[in-house]
Amino acid sequence: MEEIEYPDWTIDRRCVLQKLENIAKDYIHYFTYQARYYQPMVVIWSRDELLKRLDALHLLNCEIDRLFFERISQNHPHLSQCVHAAECLWYTNPEISIQESDVSLDWMMFSLFGLIDDEIRDRCLEIVRAAKLNQPRTLLAELQGQQYRLITDWDNKQIKLMTAVPLNVLRNPFMRETTPQNQYAPTYLELVTRASCDSLPMNWDILVDWGALGLLEELEALSTDISLPSAEYLKYCLKTSIP
């Protein structure tokens, strides 16, 4: 393997590392607290900016020197997590760059946070490849005896696999315990789960403020997904949300 020349951190080291740490922190934020803030359309900017800067520093598509990794881990924990995730993704298919891979870095972040089983990724990829999608949409799959909804979206001008959502509500790591405070404030991944199970409350159209939740764009995309049992109802919710 060709030896990687890492940047000279003595030149503007603090500035470079802190900018990357801030971007990495913003990106990781989407995967915390059961990924309650995650939305494919929202996470794009921080992921793309992160990958662009890591690539400029020759920290993508390669094995990271352990001493270098230890150095950034000490003072830049979010950056080190993202570098580790990118390296893990590269390890799975080293002959293909992360930018050209069928799997988004999002998948590896979900896996590192213990929210999905990384072992099912190959089967998920087979399903996504067979679908030959022209536009991102969700795909239904049965994996290890359990139904999943596969999330795809644009990443580096390609439709990539983002994550896999188990549809068994009791075994779904993205589903929060229902409370009066969150009953009508679903996260994106909770919405996908419920729409896949045909169990959306029939009064969501008047009780959920989709604009305040920042889900209008995602709601529009899901409402056109004919594979979702509740797609028509989501379309109705969308119409009632727009003046």
Side-chain angles (χ1 to χ4, degrees):
M1 179 184 297
E2 182 180 351
E3 185 176 353
I4 301 296
E5 292 186 7
Y6 292 103
D8 182 359
W9 296 118
T10 61
I11 303 175
D12 296 327
R13 179 178 64 178
R14 291 184 179 180
C15 180
V16 171
L17 288 180
Q18 193 56 52
K19 283 183 179 179
L20 270 170
E21 172 69 9
N22 291 341
I23 295 169
K25 183 178 180 180
D26 181 59
Y27 178 58
I28 286 177
H29 172 71
Y30 295 110
F31 304 93
T32 58
Y33 302 106
Q34 296 175 266
R36 69 179 62 175
Y37 305 109
Y38 182 80
Q39 295 179 42
M41 294 182 186
V42 173
V43 76
I44 288 175
W45 182 88
S46 57
R47 182 185 62 233
D48 287 358
E49 189 68 15
L50 175 69
L51 291 177
K52 179 178 70 176
R53 290 173 181 261
L54 290 178
D55 189 35
L57 295 173
H58 310 294
L59 297 175
L60 283 186
N61 308 310
C62 63
E63 182 177 356
I64 305 300
D65 179 81
R66 292 303 96 187
L67 291 178
F68 172 81
F69 184 76
E70 290 175 7
R71 184 184 302 175
I72 63 171
S73 297
Q74 292 175 359
N75 298 307
H76 302 88
H78 300 96
L79 174 59
S80 64
Q81 280 184 289
C82 292
V83 169
H84 176 57
E87 184 182 34
C88 288
L89 184 56
W90 174 76
Y91 270 138
T92 63
N93 209 345
E95 69 274 11
I96 299 177
S97 72
I98 291 175
Q99 295 90 329
E100 297 174 350
S101 171
D102 291 337
V103 187
S104 173
L105 183 65
D106 292 8
W107 177 284
M108 195 56 64
M109 295 304 301
F110 280 113
S111 179
L112 291 179
F113 274 86
L115 295 171
I116 57 173
D117 185 351
D118 204 40
E119 293 182 2
I120 67 175
R121 180 181 56 215
D122 289 344
R123 178 61 184 139
C124 291
L125 274 174
E126 289 177 9
I127 294 168
V128 172
R129 288 166 180 162
K132 298 181 179 179
L133 300 176
N134 294 318
Q135 292 292 329
R137 68 179 178 86
T138 68
L139 299 169
L140 186 63
E142 184 164 326
L143 307 165
Q144 299 178 352
Q146 182 171 317
Q147 282 197 320
Y148 283 79
R149 183 65 65 171
L150 311 187
I151 308 298
T152 65
D153 206 78
W154 293 109
D155 180 357
N156 199 43
K157 300 181 180 180
Q158 293 179 261
I159 297 174
K160 295 189 179 183
L161 176 63
M162 302 290 162
T163 190
V165 181
L167 301 186
N168 183 332
V169 174
L170 298 179
R171 298 175 59 188
N172 186 321
F174 305 113
M175 297 294 291
R176 299 168 295 171
E177 182 180 355
T178 302
T179 67
Q181 289 74 31
N182 68 27
Q183 183 177 4
Y184 297 107
T187 67
Y188 170 75
L189 294 173
E190 287 177 328
L191 178 60
V192 169
T193 303
R194 294 194 179 279
S196 300
C197 299
D198 199 16
S199 58
L200 287 175
M202 294 308 294
N203 53 357
W204 270 20
D205 57 307
I206 59 174
L207 294 176
V208 176
D209 187 344
W210 301 101
L213 294 176
L215 286 173
L216 279 176
E217 281 189 283
E218 305 288 6
L219 184 67
E220 182 176 11
L222 292 172
S223 71
T224 62
D225 188 342
I226 59 175
S227 70
L228 285 173
S230 296
E232 284 299 317
Y233 182 58
L234 294 180
K235 190 177 296 183
Y236 179 70
C237 289
L238 181 66
K239 289 180 179 178
T240 60
S241 299
I242 300 177

